[in-house]
């Protein structure tokens, strides 16, 4: 089946730093989405991308749909303590379902 | 407009019992998805349903697991004769249409955490 490899697995950064994480696939995806999951909660959608090459921002978050349709990245600028959590990429390939990445755990040091 | 509602939030079952997990999609959403998440892992697709139909159950274990989304009422994920390996968080998501359509997104519930003792 389709697999999404997400990196880094975890990050420990200082408040105010910029963060970058990415997601790669062995096969083409038609949509890319980025979710954040807080402990004990369900994933919350941050950004959705629908076209190859698309670059979309949501506040301090920016994500891009790779031109090859096999990758995507998420940047967070000027991180703050509430950015702590696990970030998942997800995508749709064949079929109406989301395939999730392995997650990037973000920890922010004050 | 309430979000995706799942209940119970926490469920404890003894080995061999049945577990029933409920999911009420967002108003106007006719597509429901179930995912399972083990600790420290991502979400794994289990099943995709539309009203009264199972569309894709490629992620469902062949035995003991079943899902339904009746014409009236919530979607149900049913696990019979639970074993310790079934302990996980189970998430439901819903969408108003097909996910590959622009601006069609899946919204997740808060999950049901199943513990088998």
């Amino acid at each position: 089946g389709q697999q999404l490899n997400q990196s880094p697995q975890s990050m420990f950064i200082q408040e105010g730093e910029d963060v970058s994480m990415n997601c790669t696939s062995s096969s083409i995806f038609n949509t890319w989405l980025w979710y954040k999951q807080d402990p004990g909660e369900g994933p919350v959608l941050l950004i959705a991308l629908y076209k190859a090459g698309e670059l979309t921002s949501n506040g301090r978050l920016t994500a891009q749909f790779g031109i090859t349709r096999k990758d995507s990245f998420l940047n967070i600028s000027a991180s703050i303590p509430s950015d702590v959590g696990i970030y998942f990429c997800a995508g749709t390939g064949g079929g109406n379902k989301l395939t999730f990445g392995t997650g990037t755990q973000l920890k922010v040091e004050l | 407009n309430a979000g995706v509602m799942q209940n119970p939030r926490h469920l404890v079952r003894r080995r061999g019992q049945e577990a029933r997990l409920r999911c009420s999609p967002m108003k106007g959403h006719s597509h429901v998805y179930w995912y399972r998440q083990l600790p420290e892992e991502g979400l794994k697709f289990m099943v995709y349903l539309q009203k009264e139909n199972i569309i894709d159950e490629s992620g469902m274990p062949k035995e003991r697991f079943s899902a339904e989304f009746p014409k009236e009422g919530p979607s149900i994920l049913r696990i019979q004769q639970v074993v310790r390996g079934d302990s996980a968080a189970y998430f439901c998501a819903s969408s108003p249409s097909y996910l590959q359509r622009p601006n069609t997104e899946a919204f997740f519930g808060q999950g049901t955490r199943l513990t088998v003792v």
Side-chain angles (χ1 to χ4, degrees):
Chain A
Q2 294 173 317
Q3 290 186 327
L4 293 181
N5 296 309
Q6 201 170 334
S7 65
Q9 189 173 0
S10 64
M11 302 180 72
F12 194 18
I13 62 169
Q14 299 276 341
E15 183 180 8
E17 287 184 357
D18 296 344
V19 173
S20 184
M21 59 190 79
N22 63 49
C23 201
T24 59
S25 169
S26 57
S27 56
I28 289 174
F29 276 71
N30 299 315
T31 62
W32 284 92
L33 303 98
W34 286 91
Y35 286 84
K36 182 184 180 222
Q37 186 178 29
D38 291 326
E41 300 294 329
V44 174
L45 182 65
L46 300 173
I47 291 183
L49 303 154
Y50 298 100
K51 290 172 59 176
E54 181 181 355
L55 183 71
T56 297
S57 292
N58 178 9
R60 294 179 296 106
L61 277 60
T62 302
Q64 184 159 31
F65 190 146
I67 200 73
T68 65
R69 295 168 61 192
K70 291 184 176 182
D71 63 330
S72 176
F73 72 76
L74 174 71
N75 287 341
I76 305 173
S77 62
S79 58
I80 59 177
S82 62
D83 291 334
V84 166
I86 303 177
Y87 291 79
F88 289 102
C89 62
T92 59
N96 191 47
K97 62 189 179 189
L98 287 172
T99 298
F100 276 80
T102 47
T104 294
Q105 181 156 28
L106 181 63
K107 300 177 183 178
V108 179
E109 185 178 63
L110 298 176
Chain B
N1 185 10
V4 177
M5 304 300 292
Q6 288 188 250
N7 68 82
R9 289 290 306 274
H10 300 275
L11 182 62
V12 179
R13 285 287 177 264
R14 295 186 183 279
R15 282 180 295 170
Q17 290 184 322
E18 177 180 287
R20 279 183 178 243
L21 288 63
R22 294 174 183 76
C23 169
S24 296
M26 288 180 69
K27 187 177 181 180
H29 287 196
S30 58
H31 300 243
V32 166
Y33 317 81
W34 284 93
Y35 286 80
R36 176 163 62 177
Q37 185 178 34
L38 295 171
E40 310 296 323
E41 294 188 10
L43 284 77
K44 304 292 186 190
F45 170 79
M46 298 182 74
V47 62
Y48 159 45
L49 310 100
Q50 294 183 32
K51 281 288 187 182
E52 300 186 274
N53 290 303
I54 296 174
I55 307 301
D56 182 348
E57 55 182 349
S58 58
M60 286 275 273
K62 292 287 184 278
E63 297 178 351
R64 303 188 297 107
F65 284 72
S66 63
E68 62 178 18
F69 187 18
K71 186 176 180 181
E72 301 290 339
S75 175
I76 306 287
L77 179 67
R78 181 181 177 205
I79 311 172
Q80 295 178 289
Q81 299 176 321
V82 296
V83 300
R84 288 221 171 101
D86 297 333
S87 296
Y90 292 83
F91 290 96
C92 169
S94 72
S95 67
S97 183
Y98 297 98
L99 295 175
Q100 298 191 55
R101 290 185 179 171
N103 301 313
T104 301
E105 295 144 10
F107 294 88
F108 283 79
Q110 293 181 300
T112 294
R113 277 140 191 90
L114 173 65
T115 302
V116 180
V117 297

